[in-house]
Amino acid sequence: MEEDWGDIFRSIQNFVSPEQEIAEEIRDIGADNEDYVNRMLGRENRIAIAGLTSCLPSRIMHHGWLLQVRNTAIDNIVTIGGPFGVRQITIYAAVTYVDRFLSVMPIKNERFRIPVLLGMACLNLASEVLERYEHQVDLSEYEKFADYDETTIMDMTDHVIHQFGETVTCVTPIQFTKYFLSRFCRDNTRTEYARIKTVHVIMSTLGDVRLMSLRPFIVGLAATLLASNPNILNEGQIATEISALPPNWLIPL
């Protein structure tokens, strides 16, 4: 179910500015201890219990038009987020919110007229959750990209939150990478390269609704393992690496 996004996908791969890279480095994301990972896994479980994990792959099978809505919303997220230096974790979270909304919204007919507004609302929500106030994009700036005023964007943001049952908790694979890098990247001279490569791999999953429906923990683990150990070629080697992690995490191969 991976789409050929053309310009959309290339934008996601290339929108990172030097300012964003600096912001990612200065503002550490995650922690490298098991207590932190357990807390994040607890958040994953709460999201699942609330029924807010993405079921978009199965929904698209019956309502194919949802994929175009998704693509338009993501294109708008990248178009706005890139120029303003929004961090990659925030972009990822915004797409997660898009998938979550399209998974839970009532479908009355095969038409959704405001995908651009949905992208704006989800980016606004992700920024409120993950960005410090001084780094959030002012809603007045959004108006330069589409004919929606601040009130309309806020109303849509409130509607998205309402559809989520007021639960805006979000977990991304990027939040696990610091821990996994400390376990999988044994060459300290490659740590920064592996970190950047890991985030690039994670961001590339935005194009596949099936991968986006997986647990963030699993996506973060796989991406970090791939970036840290490019010579891993088979299931046995993967199992060896994973065996060093706590068994109660129940990691599927």
Side-chain angles (χ1 to χ4, degrees), residues 145-237:
F145 297 90
D147 190 23
Y148 294 111
D149 59 24
E150 295 182 45
T151 300
T152 303
I153 297 169
M154 283 304 304
D155 286 346
M156 186 62 187
T157 303
D158 290 340
H159 178 59
V160 168
I161 294 172
H162 176 72
Q163 287 294 324
F164 296 167
E166 312 300 322
T167 300
V168 297
T169 303
C170 182
V171 179
T172 75
I174 296 174
Q175 290 165 291
F176 292 101
T177 57
K178 191 170 186 178
Y179 174 83
F180 288 132
L181 281 171
S182 71
R183 298 303 184 273
F184 297 146
C185 188
R186 299 179 181 87
D187 182 353
N188 291 334
T189 64
R190 295 186 73 255
T191 300
E192 181 59 17
Y193 168 81
R195 182 191 68 80
I196 294 172
K197 184 66 175 178
T198 297
V199 175
H200 285 177
V201 171
I202 290 171
M203 295 301 287
S204 74
T205 66
L206 294 176
D208 192 320
V209 292
R210 293 170 300 184
L211 292 177
M212 288 292 291
S213 67
L214 296 176
R215 291 169 53 200
F217 172 84
I218 297 300
V219 175
L221 187 158
T224 312
L225 189 57
L226 177 64
S228 302
N229 301 277
N231 294 321
I232 286 183
L233 301 175
N234 58 56
E235 187 174 306
Q237 292 172 313

Side-chain angles (χ1 to χ4, degrees), residues 1 53-67 98-110 112 163 209:
M1 202 170 292
T53 52
S54 173
C55 62
L56 203 50
S58 60
R59 242 190 175 192
I60 285 174
M61 291 179 64
H62 301 285
H63 306 283
W65 55 273
L66 286 171
L67 199 55
V98 168
D99 287 356
R100 184 182 295 183
F101 180 84
L102 296 179
S103 294
V104 301
M105 75 171 191
I107 294 180
K108 298 178 181 178
N109 53 57
E110 295 195 358
F112 185 80
Q163 287 294 324
V209 292

